[in-house]
Amino acid sequence: MLRLDPDADQHWRSYVLSLLGFSLIGIVVLFGGFGRLQSHLPLSLGMAALPSDGAWNTAVSFVTNTNWQWYSGEAAVGHLYQMAGLAVQNFLSAAVGLSVAAAFARSLARSENGGRIGNFWTDLIRGTLRVLLPIAFVGALLLVAEGVVQNFDTPHMITTLAGGGQSVPGGPVVSQEVIKELGTNGGGFYNANSAHPFENPTALSNLFEIYLMLLIPFAIPLAFGRIVGARRNGYVIAAVMSLLLAVSVTLLTVAERAGPGAASAAADGAMEGKEVRFGEAASALFAAATTGTSTGAVDAMHDSLTAPGGGVALLNMMSGEIAPGGVGSGLTMRLRSGCADPPRCRH
């Protein structure tokens, strides 16, 4: 429809302009078509339109794979906005990250090719249809089997054991949850993110969501090795990432298991801000994985981590989140920080 040649090999300037133009369109659609017009959309659940600044913040956040949330998902955003706006951008922003990683690898492998690094549109479609969607489809089925919610229900009132009333929100949760982790996005369907039992109900679902966060970031260095024709380089990069992540996990686990204070001693660990379904060790593993991949999803409140545990999480963030890093960003950040002369890096 756009009369694009999938076999065209774009110059890096055309590649960058295509990427920026595509992202700009995504921001405009998410801001105006969903955020500002939410009250007129089907499946809005009666939610009002987001304020201009909030809609703009959300659009930029999700298109750039930042996924920082200023709002409570179940109280401010309807089903259509969640699945056709936010979840779609979870796929597309991750596919853009994959495209950038592929283009960067080609730039090293083709240093004498006149600056031609592939075709952004081909990379975008391949990343979405051949990588993200198939894995997300299978992953969604596994999470549904573990009890993650997937429906179009409106919030309904239940009577609690104490006799009070409570509103229980449903929604297309698993279809957003799986790409939230797989695409290293982080924006949760619910305000409590992956600490919410509808997003992450069991210890097994918790481990699987950690696996999804790490899957593509650790696969990208191996793909890089194939692109540049030096597979051992890819193995070395993956090994360094693994070592740094293992150190983070170890330090965080020790810190959270040995939390100081009488309350922590009575609970046999620092349990404040953590889900009893997971405990300290699984929470520390999730915290290391999410800060190491720039995902932003949480199954425990990071401001409730112990001082040394929180310091490890902050160190992961401030080091550029390169162990292993987000989809696409981890590889490019690591290579750029480790090589001042890109043409020589391919050797």
Side-chain angles (χ1 to χ4, degrees):
M1 292 174 63
L2 297 177
R3 302 183 66 82
L4 299 169
D5 181 3
D7 298 320
D9 203 9
Q10 291 179 305
H11 188 272
W12 69 266
R13 293 188 185 88
S14 298
Y15 198 102
V16 170
L17 289 175
S18 298
L19 186 155
L20 294 177
F22 178 76
S23 298
L24 179 60
I25 291 173
I27 291 173
V28 172
V29 170
L30 198 57
F31 167 74
F34 287 96
R36 295 298 294 151
L37 297 179
Q38 178 176 227
S39 59
H40 303 289
L41 298 176
L43 300 177
S44 66
L45 308 181
M47 303 287 185
L50 298 183
S52 297
D53 55 348
W56 180 254
N57 181 300
T58 302
V60 172
S61 179
F62 275 79
V63 170
T64 59
N65 202 262
T66 307
N67 301 87
W68 185 87
Q69 293 175 282
W70 60 273
Y71 59 88
S72 174
E74 64 267 43
V77 182
H79 291 344
L80 188 66
Y81 191 0
Q82 291 271 26
M83 64 182 183
L86 304 182
V88 166
Q89 283 303 324
N90 283 351
F91 278 96
L92 296 180
S93 63
V96 168
L98 284 173
S99 302
V100 170
F104 187 80
R106 292 192 200 106
S107 72
L108 298 180
R110 305 177 182 178
S111 59
E112 299 174 358
N113 197 29
R116 299 196 175 276
I117 56 174
N119 188 305
F120 169 73
W121 306 105
T122 301
D123 291 342
L124 179 74
I125 292 172
R126 284 176 176 170
T128 304
L129 299 184
R130 298 186 184 182
V131 179
L132 297 172
L133 272 173
I135 298 175
F137 181 80
V138 176
L141 295 179
L142 295 175
L143 286 178
V144 164
E146 282 300 297
V148 181
V149 172
Q150 180 76 6
N151 57 47
F152 294 103
D153 290 352
T154 57
H156 59 277
M157 295 297 297
I158 64 170
T159 301
T160 66
L161 294 176
Q166 181 175 340
S167 174
V168 178
V173 178
V174 75
S175 52
Q176 183 164 327
E177 182 72 12
V178 66
I179 189 58
K180 175 186 87 174
E181 313 294 7
L182 178 64
T184 63
N185 294 285
F189 193 96
Y190 296 106
N191 188 49
N193 209 277
S194 291
H196 198 291
F198 286 2
E199 289 195 30
N200 191 8
T202 68
L204 183 58
S205 69
N206 190 63
L207 288 175
F208 183 63
E209 290 185 15
I210 295 171
Y211 170 77
L212 288 173
M213 280 190 279
L214 299 175
L215 178 59
I216 294 178
F218 273 113
I220 286 178
L222 308 183
F224 168 78
R226 297 189 61 168
I227 291 173
V228 300
R231 295 191 180 188
R232 285 187 297 178
N233 288 359
Y235 296 143
V236 170
I237 295 171
V240 172
M241 290 177 171
S242 299
L243 178 61
L244 293 174
L245 180 62
V247 171
S248 296
V249 172
T250 301
L251 293 177
L252 258 165
T253 303
V254 170
E256 297 311 303
R257 288 290 298 164
S264 297
D268 192 29
M271 280 299 295
E272 187 212 344
K274 297 182 178 65
E275 271 294 314
V276 294
R277 303 192 308 276
F278 310 135
E280 303 96 333
S283 299
L285 176 59
F286 200 109
T290 191
T291 55
T293 58
S294 74
T295 301
V298 294
D299 74 347
M301 298 301 101
H302 288 187
D303 58 354
S304 292
L305 295 175
T306 62
V312 174
L314 284 173
L315 180 61
N316 287 341
M317 300 177 202
M318 292 188 290
S319 62
E321 296 170 310
I322 56 176
V327 171
S329 63
L331 176 73
T332 53
M333 285 290 293
R334 172 159 289 283
L335 292 180
R336 290 300 303 174
S337 63
C339 181
D341 188 2
R344 293 182 180 178
C345 290
R346 59 197 182 96
H347 301 298

